[in-house]
Amino acid sequence: MSKKKELDRLIKELEKKAKNLPLAKKASDIVPPEGNPDAKLMFIGEAAGFHEHVQRRPFVGVAGKLLTKSLSKIGVKRSEVWISNILKVRPPQNRDPVPEEIEAYKPYLDQEIHIIDPKIIVTLGRFSLRKFIPNTYISQIHGLARWVDWEGKKIVVFPMYHPAAALRNGHVKRMFEEDFAKLKKVMSNVNNQSITAEPEEEHKETTQESKKTQQLTLIENRQD
Ligand code: URA
């Protein structure tokens, strides 16, 4: 089955199960992921907002516009990437997702990742960051690419601030822009080398998640 067919089937299943999923009453409450099924680059945000709920498309409000503009600045079209969220619904008053909600939508996001099989996952905000790298803060690791061993796959995870946070704070916006420039470098480095190569010993970290993650040597370390 083609990736497109598998993803269409997954989205149909999600819509069919909507009544049993948190914060959804009907199929049209679901905001499905979208993009290129063959994408090498995948973005994972938090949850739909007002505009996403109305249009049933991820990242189409102001934060989405910043994301689309930032992508075009590095020469990437929105239609080339895959865009998804931790929750496929809009939480009331755009509140943070709660653990049971994250858990309920997890099987769908996990299947998407398996189908798309991206080389790089960009996490937007802390909820998607902590799916791959638990117990960390964006302020400490944004803009630093890492190898993550996720369900038997080696994926490069690139943590970024959420674009909505960038819109609220000028300092965060600058870091968001700088991280996009770094993402461009990471993309070309990942394309130019085998990403299945074992990371070098000397870069192993000492934190608990060091067993599962490895910071790439592709870009320079930031001073935290
Ligand atoms: N914020 C998100 O995290 N996701 C969207 O789709 C829109 C805004």
Side-chain angles (χ1 to χ4, degrees):
M1 211 197 290
S2 70
K3 286 187 176 189
K4 178 162 179 2
K5 281 201 177 129
E6 283 189 72
L7 290 160
D8 287 349
R9 180 202 47 78
L10 181 65
I11 291 165
K12 281 219 176 75
E13 186 191 320
L14 184 56
E15 290 172 344
K16 222 167 100 190
K17 301 257 171 76
K19 277 194 284 288
N20 303 319
L21 287 164
L23 307 175
K25 290 196 181 79
K26 52 193 183 307
S28 61
D29 288 332
I30 298 293
V31 178
E34 68 175 28
N36 176 3
D38 294 310
K40 301 282 170 267
L41 184 58
M42 174 167 181
F43 287 82
I44 306 178
E46 187 176 310
F50 173 81
H51 294 283
E52 288 76 21
H53 176 75
V54 170
Q55 295 185 41
R56 301 200 57 212
R57 294 183 60 206
F59 281 102
V60 289
V62 276
K65 289 198 169 62
L66 176 60
L67 176 65
T68 307
K69 197 171 97 189
S70 308
L71 275 170
S72 89
K73 275 194 191 158
I74 60 163
V76 179
K77 291 196 202 84
R78 185 183 157 109
S79 58
E80 289 173 57
V81 304
W82 188 256
I83 303 180
S84 190
N85 277 307
I86 292 280
L87 299 193
K88 268 63 175 166
V89 281
R90 180 189 183 202
Q93 281 85 47
N94 299 335
R95 64 149 169 77
D96 286 348
V98 299
E100 309 83 75
E101 292 162 356
I102 296 173
E103 202 50 35
Y105 287 93
K106 180 180 180 293
Y108 300 97
L109 178 56
D110 288 353
Q111 285 184 69
E112 271 171 75
I113 299 170
H114 280 297
I115 298 168
I116 302 280
D117 197 17
K119 284 189 172 175
I120 305 172
I121 291 182
V122 178
T123 59
L124 299 169
R126 68 186 192 280
F127 292 96
S128 55
L129 166 66
R130 290 177 188 160
K131 175 176 178 66
F132 301 98
I133 312 174
N135 311 316
T136 43
Y137 292 93
I138 304 179
S139 58
Q140 291 169 345
I141 61 164
H142 69 93
L144 296 171
R146 290 180 180 213
W147 294 105
V148 170
D149 193 350
W150 180 84
E151 297 206 346
K153 284 180 189 296
K154 269 183 184 293
I155 306 176
V156 174
V157 170
F158 189 77
M160 286 188 68
Y161 279 101
H162 194 286
L167 288 167
R168 284 193 296 267
N169 179 312
H171 179 56
V172 174
K173 176 116 186 279
R174 277 189 296 283
M175 292 190 281
F176 183 80
E177 288 165 351
E178 283 167 17
D179 290 348
F180 251 97
K182 287 182 189 164
L183 175 61
K184 190 180 178 178
K185 271 195 208 163
V186 171
M187 284 165 64
S188 67
N189 287 336
V190 163
N191 283 334
N192 292 338
Q193 71 171 54
S194 162
I195 63 156
T196 56
E198 278 302 312
E200 291 163 40
E201 199 61 32
E202 74 229 47
H203 292 282
K204 286 226 167 96
E205 293 169 23
T206 51
T207 60
Q208 225 195 340
E209 70 269 7
S210 64
K211 286 187 211 99
K212 293 186 90 185
T213 70
Q214 178 67 44
Q215 187 176 306
L216 285 176
T217 55
L218 303 173
I219 51 172
E220 69 285 1
N221 273 350
R222 258 181 340 104
Q223 298 300 309
D224 282 321

